[in-house]
Amino acid sequence: MRLPALVTNSLRALIAAALFFSGATHAQATAPTAGKVDPEAIDRTWRESGKAFDAERLRLLGRVADGAAQGPFHADWASLQGYRAPTWYEDAKFGIFIHWGIYAVPQFGNEWYSRNMYKPGTPEFAHHIATYGPQDRFGYKDLIPLFKAPRFDPRAWAKLFREAGARYVVPVAEHHDGFAMYDSQLSDWTAMKMGPHRDIVGELAAAIRAEGMHLGLSSHRAEHDWFFDNGRTIDSDVNDPRYAAFYGPAHAHVATRGDLDLAADWTFVSQAWLDDWTARTAEIVERYHPDLIYFDWWIGHPSFRNALPPLLAYYYNDGAKRGGVVVDYKLGAFPEGAGTLDVERGQLDGIHPTHWQTDTSLGNASWSYVEGDTYKSPETVVHTLVDVVSKNGNLLLNIGPRADGSITGEERTTLLAIGGWLKINGDAIYASKPWRVFGEGPTRNVAGTMQEGKARPFTAQDIRFTTRDGVLYAIALGWPADGALTIRSVGADDRVRKVTMLADGQAVKWTQEKDGLRLTLPVKPVGRYAYVFRIET
């Protein structure tokens, strides 16, 4: 049995201690409970585990109710459709997402390790037993002491993100695993009270703002209602009531047509769960005042439909006092216009009438760090950024730091390469607007969520357009082998006066022909990744 490099000999004692259970009491506590306990009883156990935080939860719920009643927004969807993303966000174009937490410790599988390690037949299930032991003796909670983050340097992270050209940064405040990466007063299962014993979000918030960037936070808490349900089907610590505060209700996930079709998801959700979710979201607003909140897809579950308006009205009214805030949602969770649409690992096929966002990860296999992952190239990321911006969107690019708090060399190199491109070509990206068409060329990628794996590489004939301050920018996603480039969307009626290449600041020879604007370029590329032409008309 080979332990991950993170687990040194000095930590084996922690694993041994976690395995030291015996007798009937342990066996009874960890025995499978799936199908043997009704959802109401499960919920009572979970509510009892968090009883110590009832007063604080009620205070936060009261704050939400008061905030929703005071300001330009009201707790109804019609009012919330008056949302408009603030100018800073529409101008920002590029942000950094950070998936980092306990799930980085195993460095195996992906960020759903916490769920899959309890699911027989998965690689994570087998890996966990081989590496740490059976799930009734070493559960997910027992990874927490291994998450010490000795190399976490929030100021160095923020400096890197700024050098990458990011204008906003979105750390995960809480993932599906239920471990708060901030100093929560609603749970003992937090990074402040366990593991690194640091307010990770608080430290990052200060560092991000010190570098002049906007702070966003993501909440994946909604999915925690059912995320550990596999643990109820086997002998595991998920069944032990002592850990209900961490593992949550772990209700059976009844998704009859897959995870993403929420209209066919019949998972049990109690009002107590919705209240707790509301309070936890309000807590991160109150403590950290994020300029953006990103929600994962499960807030689109029908049970959240009445819980969302008060929370959104509270946050939007709070944000209105400081110039407006952003909420990202997915897959029809909101009526159009009530927030900013996010398309995960995917694209849109044209210019969207309102501002939107795509989020993807540098890592191809996982949002969190795993050994052996492969990474997107700087060219791929720049092409994605250009394509998204031409369609009125932002790119939120994820990194997954190691459990010790270090950022991989591959991610660092790519981020700096993106930043280098943006320093030269940023005029075509930041604060830009879509043109009359988003682009031209032969490559058309499949639109929609989780479709990036079907993407085809762009060519020199694929050109994207943006505008800024009355100037048109044409961005070629490849360099023509013969140095001849025709931009077919630019016609005689556009009355071109001058063409300049941003990479070297030199004027470009051009002629206006019937088939478009013809540019005469050097045979060798000038610049890297994507080539920006400033067209003055």
Side-chain angles (χ1 to χ4, degrees):
M1 177 174 75
R2 185 179 70 85
L3 294 177
L6 180 67
V7 184
T8 63
N9 288 335
S10 63
L11 295 174
R12 291 178 187 271
L14 290 170
I15 295 177
L19 296 175
F20 188 70
F21 287 103
S22 62
T25 300
H26 169 67
Q28 290 168 356
T30 62
T33 53
K36 298 178 182 178
V37 185
D38 67 78
E40 293 286 356
I42 288 173
D43 228 59
R44 283 195 298 273
T45 300
W46 166 72
R47 292 198 307 271
E48 186 65 27
S49 71
K51 196 171 182 179
F53 306 105
D54 283 354
E56 178 64 5
R57 190 178 299 108
L58 284 172
R59 185 191 70 80
L60 287 163
L61 290 172
R63 186 176 176 93
V64 168
D66 290 344
Q70 299 175 24
F73 293 93
H74 308 293
D76 64 79
W77 288 114
S79 173
L80 296 169
Q81 285 181 294
Y83 163 92
R84 172 69 189 267
T87 300
W88 74 259
Y89 179 69
E90 294 190 352
D91 290 350
K93 307 305 182 187
F94 182 48
I96 298 294
F97 208 179
I98 310 170
H99 274 68
W100 189 49
I102 306 167
Y103 42 86
V105 172
Q107 47 198 20
F108 185 87
N110 57 37
E111 73 285 355
W112 279 35
Y113 184 92
S114 58
R115 175 169 174 78
N116 295 329
M117 63 167 275
Y118 291 102
K119 187 177 183 180
T122 64
E124 291 88 345
F125 182 86
H127 173 85
H128 192 83
I129 292 174
T131 307
Y132 303 106
Q135 287 80 349
D136 65 326
R137 305 210 174 233
F138 193 100
Y140 186 68
K141 70 181 185 312
D142 299 301
L143 293 171
I144 296 173
L146 308 183
F147 181 52
K148 295 184 179 297
R151 298 178 65 187
F152 171 53
D153 183 344
R155 287 182 293 182
W157 283 21
K159 183 174 184 293
L160 173 63
F161 303 152
R162 185 63 179 173
E163 290 175 349
R167 297 294 174 86
Y168 61 107
V169 182
V170 186
V172 171
E174 182 180 340
H175 205 252
H176 310 320
D177 62 353
F179 188 75
M181 294 290 285
Y182 60 97
D183 187 14
S184 175
Q185 303 306 303
L186 295 173
S187 174
D188 286 326
W189 299 87
T190 76
M192 188 70 182
K193 298 171 185 174
M194 297 179 177
H197 292 279
R198 296 172 69 174
D199 182 357
I200 301 297
V201 165
E203 291 184 41
L204 276 171
I208 289 163
R209 286 172 166 146
E211 288 290 338
M213 297 176 288
H214 288 270
L215 172 71
L217 292 174
S218 81
S219 169
H220 309 245
R221 174 73 183 176
E223 293 82 356
H224 190 62
D225 178 66
W226 49 266
F227 205 65
F228 284 99
D229 68 335
N230 291 321
R232 292 197 179 278
T233 67
I234 62 171
D235 244 354
S236 85
D237 61 337
V238 173
N239 300 297
D240 192 330
R242 291 178 297 172
Y243 308 118
F246 180 46
Y247 292 125
H251 287 303
H253 188 210
V254 189
T256 58
R257 290 201 296 260
D259 287 347
L260 300 185
D261 189 344
L262 296 180
D265 189 324
W266 306 98
T267 303
F268 181 87
V269 181
S270 69
Q271 185 59 48
W273 179 259
L274 296 171
D275 289 344
D276 184 73
W277 173 84
T278 299
R280 286 178 186 245
T281 309
E283 182 180 44
I284 63 174
V285 172
E286 182 180 80
R287 292 185 70 83
Y288 305 106
H289 306 289
D291 302 311
L292 176 153
I293 294 179
Y294 171 108
F295 288 121
D296 214 342
W297 91 101
W298 218 69
I299 61 161
H301 190 272
S303 61
F304 281 79
R305 190 154 290 183
N306 291 328
L308 280 163
L311 186 281
L312 293 174
Y314 158 70
Y315 182 49
Y316 288 165
N317 286 338
D318 181 72
K321 302 170 187 174
R322 44 196 173 92
V325 291
V326 180
V327 170
D328 295 327
Y329 74 93
K330 303 177 183 179
L331 297 170
F334 296 1
E336 190 166 349
T340 295
L341 173 67
D342 180 90
V343 181
E344 181 177 344
R345 286 195 188 267
Q347 258 286 11
L348 297 182
D349 56 7
I351 297 172
H352 199 266
T354 59
H355 205 71
W356 64 287
Q357 177 180 272
T358 185
D359 64 303
T360 190
S361 185
L362 268 179
N364 290 311
S366 175
W367 292 82
S368 65
Y369 175 75
V370 295
E371 284 187 334
D373 203 354
T374 59
Y375 295 89
K376 293 177 175 63
S377 67
E379 180 176 88
T380 295
V381 176
V382 168
H383 286 183
T384 301
L385 174 64
V386 169
D387 192 40
V388 168
V389 170
S390 74
K391 297 170 182 174
N392 203 27
N394 281 13
L395 171 62
L396 182 62
L397 180 68
N398 179 73
I399 66 162
R402 298 183 184 93
D404 66 3
S406 61
I407 294 174
T408 69
E410 295 94 336
E411 289 179 322
R412 183 179 298 276
T413 297
T414 297
L415 289 176
L416 291 175
I418 296 165
W421 186 87
L422 282 167
K423 283 178 183 176
I424 295 169
N425 300 290
D427 283 352
I429 300 297
Y430 301 122
S432 67
K433 303 295 181 187
W435 193 43
R436 62 180 179 237
V437 294
F438 73 86
E440 63 181 51
T443 307
R444 289 288 186 272
N445 288 320
V446 179
T449 295
M450 304 296 185
Q451 299 297 317
E452 73 173 14
K454 300 176 183 178
R456 295 182 295 136
F458 291 107
T459 70
Q461 288 72 48
D462 289 301
I463 300 170
R464 296 294 180 262
F465 302 105
T466 64
T467 63
R468 177 176 170 178
D469 298 331
V471 174
L472 172 64
Y473 294 93
I475 309 171
L477 301 180
W479 190 269
D482 59 359
L485 180 67
T486 299
I487 304 175
R488 302 185 186 281
S489 299
V490 178
D493 290 345
D494 291 306
R495 300 176 184 238
V496 174
R497 295 186 297 108
K498 184 178 180 181
V499 180
T500 307
M501 188 164 190
L502 293 192
D504 60 4
Q506 298 298 306
V508 175
K509 293 181 181 179
W510 61 275
T511 59
Q512 185 69 64
E513 306 293 342
K514 289 183 179 180
D515 62 349
L517 183 70
R518 293 188 186 178
L519 307 184
T520 302
L521 308 172
V523 174
K524 288 187 176 182
V526 179
R528 303 179 73 185
Y529 313 136
Y531 309 94
V532 183
F533 302 96
R534 175 187 168 98
I535 302 174
E536 297 177 50
T537 57

